[in-house]
Amino acid sequence: MVMAGSQWELPPELCCRPMAFVALTGLDVVYNAVHRAIWDAFCANRRADRVPISFKVLPGDHEYPKCRTKRTSYEWYIPKGILKTGWMNKHLNLVPALVVLFYELDWDDPQWKEKQSECATKVEIVRTSLQGRNTKVAVVLIQKKTPLPPGEDLVASERASALCNACDLSGKSLFVLPHTDHLVGYIIRLENAFYEHAQTYYYTEIRRVKSHKEFLNKTTHQLLFVRHQFKIAFFSELKQDTQNALKYYRTAYSLVHELRAHETNILEIKTMAGFINYKICRLCFQHNTPLDAIAQFRKHIDLCKKKIGSAELAFEHAAWMSKQFQSFGELFDEAIKLGLTAIQTQNPGFYYQQAACYSQDRKHQAQQLCQGGLGYPSPDPLDTQTAGLDFYGQRPWRQGHQSIDPPDAEKEKTGILALQIKERDVPHSELIIALLSNAVAQFKKYKCPRMKSHLMVQMGEEYYHAKDYTKALKLLDYVMCDYRTERWWALLTSILTTALRCAYLMASVKDYIIYCMELLGRASTLKEEQKSKIEKNLIKVLMNEVPDAEPDSDPSSVSAARSLWTDRMALAGSNELTVEVQDYIPFIMMSITTDKPVSPVVMMFITTDKPVSPVVMMFIT
């Protein structure tokens, strides 16, 4: 099943740092204290200076993913997609570069022959379970005694050679681990040796993938050119060769944009372009070349922003674009935390802001395209009958099809309908607010107060659309001070209008009176007709009557608001409200003329340029 809200999330196996996968077998970490200590030494408190390896304890007869029959020709082969959804996870967590068998055996063990034979059998079981893969196998003998220096223990040399022959191992694949006080030191030496074996495995895998190139042609195998470059780049990352990884990802990115795009494959092309772009940007930041990352991202957006696809699913393109900006913002932010210096005009906030803009576009497009009255189709066209899609970016109802026209027009229609109905359930406002919140935090950090205020207004408006009027009013009230101080009257009027609607829909009497008063003042840019309506509503409230609904208020909330106002007005007879009007733009202007001399003390009060309380003004008049 494809979930409308989560399908744009980048897979965790794409976002993590690839590390060589080494499987450890023969360790009973639950009941054997020595084995537990060994395992803890491998995985506990791994410092940054230790080699990048991902360890996992597996049973000796663990079944690894089956290795498919090696293809000898691509002549009649037509690829069904670019990259299988399980491929990255398979090489990160399922197919090890090296399997290490731990076995308790001292050189002077009285049952040496039997134990040598048992060890060889265990190695053979491991090899059989790997089913023809190139995975390396090594053996570690857990011993009670500290070994003598090389060449001094002739028995050890002879028996090591015999064990290697019995297990069909090279001398470089047999290790000794004395369980002594210096266990961690021995473990670090061991894992360095394991790392070298893993490097050799990934080098072999890279050569294997490269060898396929001579069988491919650009007419029918364009998808494979992209796939193979991505795989070589990913294996290079596992090998920690990030410079070559970057080179191959760049090649893959160029190739993916050479694919002929049409409505049936546009999503797959964009998905893979997004994945590869993420990898390139991440590696550029890792190499401390942020300008290259920014240049790559801009190029990516320029190439993809017009690849919209089906007009009926335009909201999907907006969602995908939003995710591109959000992911780059996160990469940028992560690089800053690791020491990169950002500046006011180039910081992650701009990318979060743009992500929020595309999320707003998504919401508006969804409102236009997803409001039909049809029910969800049955059978479900998004149900894959399995754990998920076979290839990234494909449609569940036509997996593996690469033709220009959809194979089944009716299935295409029901599939689009299902996606539109799913989109209705997406919490758009929640997504927008989260992105705006991230942007606000960044602009606050980089001392951009006007950008911060501007985005807080957008957050307040989004809370209003989400019908969370309390949070909307809190945010809008906070930023109004800035707009009053800087005399942005048109902006202040717009914010006050939204705030007035919130106050009405919450039946917040005091806030409603304050915003009415300010919208009637000299700073308000409303037309006289609008001011007249507000004035009438203000008088109604002062007379304990229910005001009329504010224009453009959400119809579904108005009836509930009227009920709240009725309750408020029933209790209003005993209400006394104190309004600190010095914080607001006054709505009553007062001038005093007199033809008689006035005392200097009185004159001081008369000539004050500070706002005067409306109540005081009423007494004066």
Side-chain angles (χ1 to χ4, degrees), residues 139 372 384 399 449 482:
V139 172
T384 59
Q399 292 194 70
D482 297 333

Side-chain angles (χ1 to χ4, degrees), residues 184-200:
V184 174
Y186 282 112
I187 292 291
I188 289 173
R189 288 168 63 185
L190 264 185
E191 66 183 27
N192 287 336
F194 296 167
Y195 183 64
E196 287 182 23
H197 279 292
Q199 294 269 64
T200 305

Side-chain angles (χ1 to χ4, degrees), residues 274-295:
F275 284 8
I276 301 166
N277 171 72
Y278 180 88
K279 283 289 192 181
I280 294 171
C281 293
R282 187 183 181 92
L283 288 172
C284 285
F285 279 125
Q286 194 175 314
H287 294 159
N288 202 27
T289 54
L291 294 180
D292 289 351
I294 292 167

Side-chain angles (χ1 to χ4, degrees), residues 299-323:
K299 171 186 170 186
H300 174 58
I301 294 302
D302 287 342
L303 287 169
C304 295
K305 64 185 175 186
K306 291 183 180 175
K307 292 184 176 178
I308 297 169
S310 169
E312 296 165 289
L313 297 172
F315 55 84
E316 283 195 335
H317 181 67
W320 182 83
M321 288 290 287
S322 175
K323 193 64 199 175

